[in-house]
Amino acid sequence: MVLRLTPVRRIKVTPLRIVPLLAGTLCLCGCVVEATGPTQHDSRTIEMDASERVTVDLNMGAGNLRVDGGTQKLARADFTYNVASWKPYVHYRSAAGHGTLSIEQPSGPHAHMGANKYEWDVLLNREVPMDMRVHFGAGDANLNLGSLSLRSVEVGMGVGKLNLDLRGKPKRNYDVTIRGGVGECTVRVPSDVGVYGEAEGGIGEIRTTGLHQEGRRYYNNAYEHSKVTIHLDIRGAIGSIRVISD
């Protein structure tokens, strides 16, 4: 028996063919393709009210997030984006002395073509006690929260880079919980306020500066005699974790 091998024909796909094929594939998948457009700017201001504490929920799918203190209002947020349907949802409500501020990137089965731009700049009041909840899927987050009157901090990140600065003069004990996916996490804490924490990474390294280490536990020199303590609970999957006390 003789086997005859038939040469395989190579099909050359030109860029002109790729475009309709891609469009057809996306249509079959039910995706909506959105092209980037002109850069748009929007801002929202939340006035002060009688709330004795406020929960702040920030939910960003992908982009650059910056949070800081420094407004006489309860909050001020500036947004920059070039996909029209990504205009953030902003909602505030208050009941029984507890306010809730939610800022969220619209979700949906949307794909985009072109270089997208998506940025949030959020300023918060430094006097009102706040619980911070920040979740972002991909991108960079720079959270300068040390000047706020914090009650708790919860951060969840997917892929990207997190810089969390907690240096300040806290008025009360508070817990900080960080759950990371893939990327870099840097946390700065004050050296003159008690800091005690646990940090664990899946694949990557954990580095500390200005803290003592006992296994997975870390604490600074001020921990044993400080009246106020910041408790850290950091878990990362892949990437690096760095905690700095200065």
Side-chain angles (χ1 to χ4, degrees):
M1 180 175 66
V2 179
L3 295 178
R4 294 184 178 180
L5 301 179
T6 303
V8 177
R9 293 182 59 194
R10 295 184 177 180
I11 301 175
K12 183 178 181 181
V13 180
T14 64
L16 292 178
R17 287 183 175 180
I18 292 176
V19 173
L21 287 174
L22 176 60
T25 302
L26 291 172
C27 288
L28 290 174
C29 293
C31 295
V32 178
V33 181
E34 295 181 278
T36 57
T39 299
Q40 301 184 50
H41 302 278
D42 191 19
S43 64
R44 292 288 302 273
T45 298
I46 307 299
E47 299 291 340
M48 292 286 290
D49 60 11
S51 296
E52 298 177 357
R53 62 186 178 95
V54 173
T55 298
V56 180
D57 282 313
L58 305 179
N59 294 280
M60 173 183 280
N64 295 317
L65 171 63
R66 290 180 289 272
V67 182
D68 205 338
T71 177
Q72 298 301 314
K73 309 293 185 179
L74 182 62
R76 175 183 171 83
D78 294 295
F79 309 110
T80 301
Y81 53 95
N82 61 357
V83 177
S85 64
W86 288 1
K87 180 178 179 179
Y89 295 130
V90 180
H91 181 69
Y92 178 74
R93 66 181 183 276
S94 180
H98 181 200
T100 301
L101 171 61
S102 300
I103 304 178
E104 183 177 1
Q105 179 176 358
S107 61
H110 297 294
H112 70 274
M113 300 181 67
N116 67 292
K117 186 172 186 178
Y118 202 62
E119 300 176 354
W120 295 3
D121 287 281
V122 181
L123 290 178
L124 299 171
N125 188 278
R126 291 172 174 163
E127 302 300 325
V128 179
M130 292 187 176
D131 294 283
M132 293 291 306
R133 299 174 183 171
V134 180
H135 296 86
F136 65 102
D140 293 343
N142 291 284
L143 312 178
N144 186 10
L145 307 183
S147 66
L148 302 180
S149 180
L150 294 172
R151 289 167 44 92
S152 66
V153 178
E154 176 185 315
V155 180
M157 60 179 287
V159 180
K161 185 176 181 180
L162 168 66
N163 288 303
L164 175 60
D165 194 337
L166 299 172
R167 291 174 295 179
K169 303 291 184 181
K171 301 176 181 178
R172 63 183 65 83
N173 299 340
Y174 66 89
D175 295 335
V176 179
T177 303
I178 300 174
R179 295 294 180 263
V182 180
E184 301 177 10
C185 172
T186 300
V187 181
R188 291 184 176 273
V189 295
S191 59
D192 56 351
V193 174
V195 175
Y196 178 86
E198 298 179 5
E200 181 178 5
I203 302 175
E205 61 176 351
I206 299 175
R207 295 180 295 167
T208 64
T209 301
L211 295 105
H212 306 283
Q213 178 179 355
E214 294 180 356
R216 296 184 305 173
R217 296 174 175 82
Y218 305 86
Y219 60 93
N220 64 358
N221 291 330
Y223 171 62
E224 294 183 353
H225 55 79
S226 176
K227 294 182 179 180
V228 176
T229 300
I230 301 173
H231 181 263
L232 304 176
D233 182 4
I234 305 174
R235 300 287 185 272
I238 302 175
S240 64
I241 299 172
R242 187 177 183 187
V243 184
I244 303 170
S245 178
D246 58 5

